[in-house]
Amino acid sequence: MINNTLTIAGMDPSGGAGILADTKAMSALGTYACAVVAALTAQNTQGVTGVQAISPEFVALQLDTLFQDVRIDAVKIGMLGHEKVTLTVAEKLAKFKPEYIVLDPVMVAKSGDVLLEKNAIHALKEALIPLSTMITPNLPEAGVLLNARAAETLKEMYRSAEKLRKLMSDRDNKWVLLKGGHLPGNDTIDLLYNGDKMLELPGQRIATKNTHGTGCTLSAAICALLPQRKNVPDATQQAKEYLLAAIAKANLLTVGSGHGPVQHFHAWW
């Protein structure tokens, strides 16, 4: 049986991030991808020129209508933008109870543009993180969630991962994936932590400017693979391998003159 996955996120017209990137990754990894639009952006590979909110009522209507008809096996949450939208998404997911929820706490675009209102951070921490199977912050996002300076070393990442796990519920099978891509050097390490096991997932930095939407793509890939793999570490490691291959092939694309997208369909094109 083919799994159905859902992304709840913003719309990036350039297709490198947001729901378009998510649906590409989910499709590439063998699931049927659905999407609920939580925000609109005007952006390209060079930056964001505008953000348009979607009303919480319409976000709720999209979710109600979809879940009433389609079996959803896993959900990825990306850019929500506003506090009321965040609370609405949390309310609906608490109602419909999908088995897997992957939360990518999108706060800032690759260009540096802010994508999440400050008053939405509290709603994210109080309402959505406890519902999630996994959260996937990078180091700056983790710093915001913890109201602390972003980790600058692997040792500091360990402490941050432990603190982030405390924001989640105490139930089993709750995971933090703390991404170490902002650490200096060519070696990158992500930490995967469930409150008991701390796993280091090593990686190698790839020389390319085409890294737009890497966080979106990774979280969407994890969402797609969680129902298909025997455990969370396996799904996460394979999602990371998929992303690294997509980055390695990114220079084959010619999309824009800024931070271009990764090649989601590298296995086929």
Side-chain angles (χ1 to χ4, degrees):
M1 180 179 67
I2 295 174
N3 292 300
N4 301 326
T5 48
L6 168 64
T7 169
I8 308 170
M11 173 68 174
D12 168 14
S14 76
I19 60 171
L20 288 176
D22 293 344
T23 55
K24 291 173 189 176
M26 291 169 171
S27 300
L29 291 168
T31 70
Y32 182 84
C34 304
V36 164
V37 183
L40 299 174
T41 71
Q43 67 175 297
N44 54 28
T45 65
Q46 299 182 66
V48 179
T49 59
V51 176
Q52 178 67 54
I54 303 293
S55 74
E57 294 78 15
F58 194 70
V59 173
L61 181 60
Q62 291 180 77
L63 289 166
D64 283 336
T65 304
L66 180 65
F67 273 95
Q68 285 165 9
D69 179 54
V70 180
R71 184 197 77 251
I72 299 296
D73 300 297
V75 175
K76 173 260 169 85
I77 305 167
M79 176 191 174
L80 300 179
H82 295 274
E83 178 184 28
K84 290 183 179 179
V85 171
T86 302
L87 293 173
T88 296
V89 170
E91 176 188 348
K92 294 303 179 182
L93 293 182
K95 173 184 176 182
F96 293 115
K97 296 181 173 60
E99 184 174 359
Y100 300 104
I101 299 173
V102 179
L103 172 61
D104 182 17
V106 176
M107 298 177 183
V108 180
K110 187 72 67 180
S111 58
D113 297 284
V114 176
L115 299 177
L116 183 69
E117 288 183 335
K118 286 186 177 181
N119 59 0
I121 296 171
H122 179 75
L124 198 74
K125 291 169 65 173
E126 295 298 318
L128 265 183
I129 288 180
L131 288 177
S132 301
T133 309
M134 180 186 290
I135 59 173
T136 65
N138 59 32
L139 298 185
E141 290 163 347
V144 172
L145 291 173
L146 297 173
N147 195 27
R149 175 181 58 81
E152 297 177 348
T153 65
L154 181 59
K155 184 177 179 180
E156 290 179 349
M157 282 181 64
Y158 266 73
R159 290 197 293 267
S160 294
E162 291 167 351
K163 292 176 182 177
L164 287 165
R165 180 59 179 79
K166 293 178 181 179
L167 299 178
M168 308 182 78
S169 76
D170 291 331
R171 291 178 296 182
D172 293 335
N173 206 33
K174 299 283 188 174
W175 296 79
V176 172
L177 178 65
L178 181 57
K179 299 176 295 189
H182 286 78
L183 291 180
N186 288 325
D187 294 324
T188 63
I189 295 179
D190 300 335
L191 295 181
L192 184 63
Y193 180 60
N194 69 346
D196 179 30
K197 296 183 294 184
M198 184 81 74
L199 304 176
E200 293 186 8
L201 305 180
Q204 193 76 20
R205 200 177 305 280
I206 297 171
T208 177
K209 69 174 183 177
N210 295 328
T211 55
H212 181 48
T214 50
C216 299
T217 297
L218 178 61
S219 55
I222 293 170
C223 176
L225 289 169
L226 280 174
Q228 302 183 62
R229 299 297 181 261
K230 62 182 179 180
N231 58 53
V232 172
D234 281 356
T236 305
Q237 180 60 46
Q238 291 177 39
K240 183 170 180 176
E241 291 169 1
Y242 163 78
L243 174 62
L244 290 174
I247 296 172
K249 297 291 187 178
N251 287 347
L252 296 177
L253 300 174
T254 54
V255 181
S257 56
H259 293 288
V262 303
Q263 169 50 307
H264 296 90
F265 297 112
H266 57 268
W268 291 270
W269 296 9

